[in-house]
Amino acid sequence: MLTSLQNPLVKQIRKLHSTKERHKQELFLLEGTHLLEEACAVNYPLETVCCTPDWQATHPSLWEEACRRCDRAEIVSKEILDAIATTVQPDGVVATAKRSDGRTQVPFTGLVLALETVQDPGNLGTMIRTAAAAGASGLWLSGDSVDLDNPKVLRASAGQWFRLATAVTEDLKATVQQSQQAGMQVIATLPNASLTYWQVDWRKPSLILLGNEGAGLSADLAAMADKQVRIPLSPGVESLNVAIAAALMLYEAQRQIIY
């Protein structure tokens, strides 16, 4: 059992708390039983799995499955587990996995989110979770956004991170053009648009453009849209949280498609 904070593996995993180290090591953190279950359910390749004796005793089958899928498995003390986790009260297991796993590329069909300079990991994780729940095809993220595999993003996605096709694009404008060439309509969300979001025919393949939490969508991207829509707000309310805005449009699209 690993008990020393000076152990090389412990030091390596602790470094993954920083964005720079995740990029350098090409690894990211999976924290908690639920995320590990979801990773195993989709056969996501694991690098290292660490758990406490108590967790191993209460999750024997998941531990065995994780051990089969990882390169290294270690039993660690509670103090070590607390040190390698980013959460305040980890539930007993932390794993690492390769950042680039060759997941399916985001298709230019169905319903897709395209996010520009989103900074809050909770917002991104919530949008991934909501997009998966609403049956979206995938999600594009601009390269200047929060890391797709930030630990808070994975937790906020409630495991749907592994089930929704996601990709980072370094040129969101080019990605928008590709979607249009593939026959998708591009819908931009703007506070002063004349159309409301329920006046769009969401039965067509659609790319939903959403912008930064503070600045909103850039003028260049907004100008590329085939339609610009707004979400009506009561007087005195300036805006909605970007994840809430995404949810409204995703579920309006689902409503139209189903009913």
Side-chain angles (χ1 to χ4, degrees):
M1 183 168 71
L2 297 184
T3 59
S4 173
L5 290 172
Q6 303 308 311
N7 181 278
L9 177 65
V10 175
K11 287 183 175 181
Q12 177 206 347
I13 295 177
R14 292 186 76 181
K15 288 180 179 179
L16 295 176
H17 292 198
S18 82
T19 301
K20 180 181 178 181
E21 278 293 328
R22 289 195 297 274
H23 286 244
K24 181 180 177 181
Q25 296 186 37
E26 283 297 316
L27 295 171
F28 67 96
L29 286 167
L30 289 174
E31 301 180 59
T33 304
H34 182 56
L35 284 179
L36 183 60
E37 286 173 337
E38 291 293 334
C40 290
V42 298
N43 298 316
Y44 199 98
L46 304 173
E47 189 86 357
T48 305
V49 180
C50 299
C51 79
T52 62
D54 287 347
W55 187 92
Q56 182 194 33
T58 53
H59 301 84
S61 58
L62 181 56
W63 173 247
E64 288 179 16
E65 186 173 5
C67 287
R68 287 196 300 269
R69 300 183 186 283
C70 72
D71 294 335
R72 181 175 179 179
E74 295 284 352
I75 306 297
V76 302
S77 66
K78 182 181 183 303
E79 290 72 25
I80 295 299
L81 201 287
D82 289 344
I84 63 177
T86 64
T87 49
V88 177
Q89 292 183 314
D91 75 354
V93 65
V94 172
T96 66
K98 288 286 187 184
R99 295 192 73 228
S100 54
D101 71 312
R103 280 190 291 170
T104 305
Q105 187 66 286
V106 177
F108 290 110
T109 186
L111 189 62
V112 177
L113 289 180
L115 310 178
E116 181 189 26
T117 324
V118 170
Q119 297 300 307
D120 185 277
N123 282 338
L124 177 55
T126 298
M127 285 188 277
I128 290 171
R129 181 180 186 178
T130 306
S137 303
L139 179 149
W140 287 101
L141 185 68
S142 68
D144 57 353
S145 297
V146 63
D147 267 358
L148 193 56
D149 50 32
N150 180 293
K152 291 181 181 178
V153 172
L154 274 92
R155 291 200 302 274
S157 79
Q160 296 310 309
W161 190 94
F162 294 103
R163 299 180 182 276
L164 183 74
T166 57
V168 174
T169 172
E170 296 303 329
D171 189 343
L172 190 52
K173 291 180 184 177
T175 301
V176 170
Q177 289 176 333
Q178 285 179 281
S179 71
Q180 289 171 319
Q181 290 165 2
M184 299 186 81
Q185 64 176 348
V186 176
I187 311 297
T189 50
L190 293 172
N192 56 355
S194 56
L195 286 176
T196 57
Y197 71 95
W198 58 75
Q199 291 175 297
V200 171
D201 183 357
W202 292 104
R203 293 170 296 179
K204 300 176 182 178
S206 303
L207 182 79
I208 301 172
L209 283 174
L210 291 160
N212 172 265
E213 290 91 343
L217 199 60
S218 67
D220 288 350
L221 271 176
M224 295 179 70
D226 301 301
K227 288 185 174 68
Q228 296 179 348
V229 300
R230 62 183 169 86
I231 298 171
L233 302 172
S234 296
V237 180
E238 290 185 4
S239 64
L240 283 177
N241 172 278
V242 64
I244 298 296
L248 287 169
M249 287 183 287
L250 287 166
Y251 273 92
E252 172 60 18
Q254 189 191 60
R255 185 192 68 81
Q256 290 187 17
I257 292 166
I258 294 175
Y259 301 107

mmCIF file with all atom_site columns, all heavy atoms in Angstrom, residues 225-239:
data_model
loop_
_atom_site.group_PDB
_atom_site.id
_atom_site.type_symbol
_atom_site.label_atom_id
_atom_site.label_alt_id
_atom_site.label_comp_id
_atom_site.label_asym_id
_atom_site.label_entity_id
_atom_site.label_seq_id
_atom_site.pdbx_PDB_ins_code
_atom_site.Cartn_x
_atom_site.Cartn_y
_atom_site.Cartn_z
_atom_site.occupancy
_atom_site.B_iso_or_equiv
_atom_site.pdbx_formal_charge
_atom_site.auth_seq_id
_atom_site.auth_comp_id
_atom_site.auth_asym_id
_atom_site.auth_atom_id
_atom_site.pdbx_PDB_model_num
ATOM 1   N N   . ALA A 1 225 ? -23.774 33.236 -38.800 1.00 0.00 ? 225 ALA A N   1
ATOM 2   C CA  . ALA A 1 225 ? -24.966 32.421 -38.541 1.00 0.00 ? 225 ALA A CA  1
ATOM 3   C C   . ALA A 1 225 ? -26.023 32.595 -39.630 1.00 0.00 ? 225 ALA A C   1
ATOM 4   O O   . ALA A 1 225 ? -26.182 33.669 -40.204 1.00 0.00 ? 225 ALA A O   1
ATOM 5   C CB  . ALA A 1 225 ? -25.554 32.785 -37.187 1.00 0.00 ? 225 ALA A CB  1
ATOM 6   N N   . ASP A 1 226 ? -26.744 31.519 -39.876 1.00 0.00 ? 226 ASP A N   1
ATOM 7   C CA  . ASP A 1 226 ? -27.880 31.587 -40.803 1.00 0.00 ? 226 ASP A CA  1
ATOM 8   C C   . ASP A 1 226 ? -29.072 32.244 -40.139 1.00 0.00 ? 226 ASP A C   1
ATOM 9   O O   . ASP A 1 226 ? -29.878 32.910 -40.794 1.00 0.00 ? 226 ASP A O   1
ATOM 10  C CB  . ASP A 1 226 ? -28.254 30.172 -41.259 1.00 0.00 ? 226 ASP A CB  1
ATOM 11  C CG  . ASP A 1 226 ? -27.098 29.470 -41.954 1.00 0.00 ? 226 ASP A CG  1
ATOM 12  O OD1 . ASP A 1 226 ? -26.616 29.995 -42.974 1.00 0.00 ? 226 ASP A OD1 1
ATOM 13  O OD2 . ASP A 1 226 ? -26.666 28.408 -41.452 1.00 0.00 ? 226 ASP A OD2 1
ATOM 14  N N   . LYS A 1 227 ? -29.187 32.065 -38.837 1.00 0.00 ? 227 LYS A N   1
ATOM 15  C CA  . LYS A 1 227 ? -30.263 32.697 -38.066 1.00 0.00 ? 227 LYS A CA  1
ATOM 16  C C   . LYS A 1 227 ? -29.703 33.152 -36.729 1.00 0.00 ? 227 LYS A C   1
ATOM 17  O O   . LYS A 1 227 ? -28.843 32.496 -36.146 1.00 0.00 ? 227 LYS A O   1
ATOM 18  C CB  . LYS A 1 227 ? -31.420 31.716 -37.823 1.00 0.00 ? 227 LYS A CB  1
ATOM 19  C CG  . LYS A 1 227 ? -32.256 31.391 -39.059 1.00 0.00 ? 227 LYS A CG  1
ATOM 20  C CD  . LYS A 1 227 ? -33.435 30.515 -38.684 1.00 0.00 ? 227 LYS A CD  1
ATOM 21  C CE  . LYS A 1 227 ? -34.381 30.286 -39.866 1.00 0.00 ? 227 LYS A CE  1
ATOM 22  N NZ  . LYS A 1 227 ? -33.768 29.469 -40.931 1.00 0.00 ? 227 LYS A NZ  1
ATOM 23  N N   . GLN A 1 228 ? -30.216 34.285 -36.254 1.00 0.00 ? 228 GLN A N   1
ATOM 24  C CA  . GLN A 1 228 ? -29.860 34.781 -34.929 1.00 0.00 ? 228 GLN A CA  1
ATOM 25  C C   . GLN A 1 228 ? -31.124 34.778 -34.077 1.00 0.00 ? 228 GLN A C   1
ATOM 26  O O   . GLN A 1 228 ? -32.179 35.240 -34.520 1.00 0.00 ? 228 GLN A O   1
ATOM 27  C CB  . GLN A 1 228 ? -29.291 36.193 -35.030 1.00 0.00 ? 228 GLN A CB  1
ATOM 28  C CG  . GLN A 1 228 ? -27.982 36.260 -35.825 1.00 0.00 ? 228 GLN A CG  1
ATOM 29  C CD  . GLN A 1 228 ? -27.435 37.655 -35.957 1.00 0.00 ? 228 GLN A CD  1
ATOM 30  O OE1 . GLN A 1 228 ? -28.117 38.637 -35.648 1.00 0.00 ? 228 GLN A OE1 1
ATOM 31  N NE2 . GLN A 1 228 ? -26.196 37.781 -36.400 1.00 0.00 ? 228 GLN A NE2 1
ATOM 32  N N   . VAL A 1 229 ? -31.026 34.230 -32.873 1.00 0.00 ? 229 VAL A N   1
ATOM 33  C CA  . VAL A 1 229 ? -32.208 34.101 -32.019 1.00 0.00 ? 229 VAL A CA  1
ATOM 34  C C   . VAL A 1 229 ? -31.916 34.660 -30.630 1.00 0.00 ? 229 VAL A C   1
ATOM 35  O O   . VAL A 1 229 ? -30.765 34.778 -30.211 1.00 0.00 ? 229 VAL A O   1
ATOM 36  C CB  . VAL A 1 229 ? -32.657 32.621 -31.891 1.00 0.00 ? 229 VAL A CB  1
ATOM 37  C CG1 . VAL A 1 229 ? -32.990 32.037 -33.243 1.00 0.00 ? 229 VAL A CG1 1
ATOM 38  C CG2 . VAL A 1 229 ? -31.595 31.784 -31.192 1.00 0.00 ? 229 VAL A CG2 1
ATOM 39  N N   . ARG A 1 230 ? -32.980 34.992 -29.939 1.00 0.00 ? 230 ARG A N   1
ATOM 40  C CA  . ARG A 1 230 ? -32.860 35.475 -28.567 1.00 0.00 ? 230 ARG A CA  1
ATOM 41  C C   . ARG A 1 230 ? -33.737 34.635 -27.664 1.00 0.00 ? 230 ARG A C   1
ATOM 42  O O   . ARG A 1 230 ? -34.693 33.977 -28.110 1.00 0.00 ? 230 ARG A O   1
ATOM 43  C CB  . ARG A 1 230 ? -33.289 36.945 -28.472 1.00 0.00 ? 230 ARG A CB  1
ATOM 44  C CG  . ARG A 1 230 ? -34.738 37.196 -28.839 1.00 0.00 ? 230 ARG A CG  1
ATOM 45  C CD  . ARG A 1 230 ? -35.092 38.675 -28.811 1.00 0.00 ? 230 ARG A CD  1
ATOM 46  N NE  . ARG A 1 230 ? -36.404 38.905 -29.414 1.00 0.00 ? 230 ARG A NE  1
ATOM 47  C CZ  . ARG A 1 230 ? -37.556 38.812 -28.767 1.00 0.00 ? 230 ARG A CZ  1
ATOM 48  N NH1 . ARG A 1 230 ? -37.548 38.512 -27.477 1.00 0.00 ? 230 ARG A NH1 1
ATOM 49  N NH2 . ARG A 1 230 ? -38.706 39.020 -29.378 1.00 0.00 ? 230 ARG A NH2 1
ATOM 50  N N   . ILE A 1 231 ? -33.411 34.688 -26.389 1.00 0.00 ? 231 ILE A N   1
ATOM 51  C CA  . ILE A 1 231 ? -34.240 34.069 -25.352 1.00 0.00 ? 231 ILE A CA  1
ATOM 52  C C   . ILE A 1 231 ? -34.920 35.219 -24.608 1.00 0.00 ? 231 ILE A C   1
ATOM 53  O O   . ILE A 1 231 ? -34.234 36.028 -23.987 1.00 0.00 ? 231 ILE A O   1
ATOM 54  C CB  . ILE A 1 231 ? -33.394 33.222 -24.391 1.00 0.00 ? 231 ILE A CB  1
ATOM 55  C CG1 . ILE A 1 231 ? -32.721 32.080 -25.154 1.00 0.00 ? 231 ILE A CG1 1
ATOM 56  C CG2 . ILE A 1 231 ? -34.236 32.676 -23.247 1.00 0.00 ? 231 ILE A CG2 1
ATOM 57  C CD1 . ILE A 1 231 ? -31.695 31.299 -24.345 1.00 0.00 ? 231 ILE A CD1 1
ATOM 58  N N   . PRO A 1 232 ? -36.236 35.344 -24.705 1.00 0.00 ? 232 PRO A N   1
ATOM 59  C CA  . PRO A 1 232 ? -36.922 36.473 -24.070 1.00 0.00 ? 232 PRO A CA  1
ATOM 60  C C   . PRO A 1 232 ? -36.671 36.513 -22.560 1.00 0.00 ? 232 PRO A C   1
ATOM 61  O O   . PRO A 1 232 ? -36.719 35.483 -21.883 1.00 0.00 ? 232 PRO A O   1
ATOM 62  C CB  . PRO A 1 232 ? -38.401 36.197 -24.367 1.00 0.00 ? 232 PRO A CB  1
ATOM 63  C CG  . PRO A 1 232 ? -38.391 35.326 -25.576 1.00 0.00 ? 232 PRO A CG  1
ATOM 64  C CD  . PRO A 1 232 ? -37.177 34.469 -25.436 1.00 0.00 ? 232 PRO A CD  1
ATOM 65  N N   . LEU A 1 233 ? -36.391 37.717 -22.062 1.00 0.00 ? 233 LEU A N   1
ATOM 66  C CA  . LEU A 1 233 ? -36.117 37.909 -20.642 1.00 0.00 ? 233 LEU A CA  1
ATOM 67  C C   . LEU A 1 233 ? -37.019 38.996 -20.071 1.00 0.00 ? 233 LEU A C   1
ATOM 68  O O   . LEU A 1 233 ? -37.375 39.947 -20.765 1.00 0.00 ? 233 LEU A O   1
ATOM 69  C CB  . LEU A 1 233 ? -34.649 38.320 -20.436 1.00 0.00 ? 233 LEU A CB  1
ATOM 70  C CG  . LEU A 1 233 ? -33.581 37.361 -20.971 1.00 0.00 ? 233 LEU A CG  1
ATOM 71  C CD1 . LEU A 1 233 ? -32.205 37.992 -20.863 1.00 0.00 ? 233 LEU A CD1 1
ATOM 72  C CD2 . LEU A 1 233 ? -33.617 36.031 -20.223 1.00 0.00 ? 233 LEU A CD2 1
ATOM 73  N N   . SER A 1 234 ? -37.368 38.864 -18.827 1.00 0.00 ? 234 SER A N   1
ATOM 74  C CA  . SER A 1 234 ? -38.175 39.893 -18.168 1.00 0.00 ? 234 SER A CA  1
ATOM 75  C C   . SER A 1 234 ? -37.365 41.183 -18.020 1.00 0.00 ? 234 SER A C   1
ATOM 76  O O   . SER A 1 234 ? -36.136 41.150 -17.979 1.00 0.00 ? 234 SER A O   1
ATOM 77  C CB  . SER A 1 234 ? -38.615 39.404 -16.784 1.00 0.00 ? 234 SER A CB  1
ATOM 78  O OG  . SER A 1 234 ? -39.469 38.285 -16.898 1.00 0.00 ? 234 SER A OG  1
ATOM 79  N N   . PRO A 1 235 ? -38.044 42.321 -17.949 1.00 0.00 ? 235 PRO A N   1
ATOM 80  C CA  . PRO A 1 235 ? -37.340 43.601 -17.806 1.00 0.00 ? 235 PRO A CA  1
ATOM 81  C C   . PRO A 1 235 ? -36.393 43.588 -16.599 1.00 0.00 ? 235 PRO A C   1
ATOM 82  O O   . PRO A 1 235 ? -36.736 43.075 -15.536 1.00 0.00 ? 235 PRO A O   1
ATOM 83  C CB  . PRO A 1 235 ? -38.486 44.598 -17.591 1.00 0.00 ? 235 PRO A CB  1
ATOM 84  C CG  . PRO A 1 235 ? -39.660 43.968 -18.264 1.00 0.00 ? 235 PRO A CG  1
ATOM 85  C CD  . PRO A 1 235 ? -39.507 42.501 -18.044 1.00 0.00 ? 235 PRO A CD  1
ATOM 86  N N   . GLY A 1 236 ? -35.212 44.123 -16.812 1.00 0.00 ? 236 GLY A N   1
ATOM 87  C CA  . GLY A 1 236 ? -34.223 44.187 -15.736 1.00 0.00 ? 236 GLY A CA  1
ATOM 88  C C   . GLY A 1 236 ? -33.293 43.002 -15.663 1.00 0.00 ? 236 GLY A C   1
ATOM 89  O O   . GLY A 1 236 ? -32.298 43.035 -14.940 1.00 0.00 ? 236 GLY A O   1
ATOM 90  N N   . VAL A 1 237 ? -33.608 41.942 -16.412 1.00 0.00 ? 237 VAL A N   1
ATOM 91  C CA  . VAL A 1 237 ? -32.740 40.762 -16.459 1.00 0.00 ? 237 VAL A CA  1
ATOM 92  C C   . VAL A 1 237 ? -31.879 40.856 -17.709 1.00 0.00 ? 237 VAL A C   1
ATOM 93  O O   . VAL A 1 237 ? -32.401 40.890 -18.820 1.00 0.00 ? 237 VAL A O   1
ATOM 94  C CB  . VAL A 1 237 ? -33.553 39.454 -16.473 1.00 0.00 ? 237 VAL A CB  1
ATOM 95  C CG1 . VAL A 1 237 ? -32.620 38.248 -16.518 1.00 0.00 ? 237 VAL A CG1 1
ATOM 96  C CG2 . VAL A 1 237 ? -34.466 39.375 -15.259 1.00 0.00 ? 237 VAL A CG2 1
ATOM 97  N N   . GLU A 1 238 ? -30.567 40.900 -17.528 1.00 0.00 ? 238 GLU A N   1
ATOM 98  C CA  . GLU A 1 238 ? -29.678 41.122 -18.666 1.00 0.00 ? 238 GLU A CA  1
ATOM 99  C C   . GLU A 1 238 ? -29.394 39.863 -19.476 1.00 0.00 ? 238 GLU A C   1
ATOM 100 O O   . GLU A 1 238 ? -29.304 39.913 -20.702 1.00 0.00 ? 238 GLU A O   1
ATOM 101 C CB  . GLU A 1 238 ? -28.351 41.715 -18.179 1.00 0.00 ? 238 GLU A CB  1
ATOM 102 C CG  . GLU A 1 238 ? -28.460 43.154 -17.674 1.00 0.00 ? 238 GLU A CG  1
ATOM 103 C CD  . GLU A 1 238 ? -27.098 43.725 -17.318 1.00 0.00 ? 238 GLU A CD  1
ATOM 104 O OE1 . GLU A 1 238 ? -26.083 43.030 -17.539 1.00 0.00 ? 238 GLU A OE1 1
ATOM 105 O OE2 . GLU A 1 238 ? -27.068 44.863 -16.828 1.00 0.00 ? 238 GLU A OE2 1
ATOM 106 N N   . SER A 1 239 ? -29.241 38.745 -18.796 1.00 0.00 ? 239 SER A N   1
ATOM 107 C CA  . SER A 1 239 ? -28.841 37.538 -19.525 1.00 0.00 ? 239 SER A CA  1
ATOM 108 C C   . SER A 1 239 ? -29.111 36.293 -18.696 1.00 0.00 ? 239 SER A C   1
ATOM 109 O O   . SER A 1 239 ? -29.419 36.371 -17.507 1.00 0.00 ? 239 SER A O   1
ATOM 110 C CB  . SER A 1 239 ? -27.351 37.600 -19.878 1.00 0.00 ? 239 SER A CB  1
ATOM 111 O OG  . SER A 1 239 ? -26.573 37.595 -18.694 1.00 0.00 ? 239 SER A OG  1
#
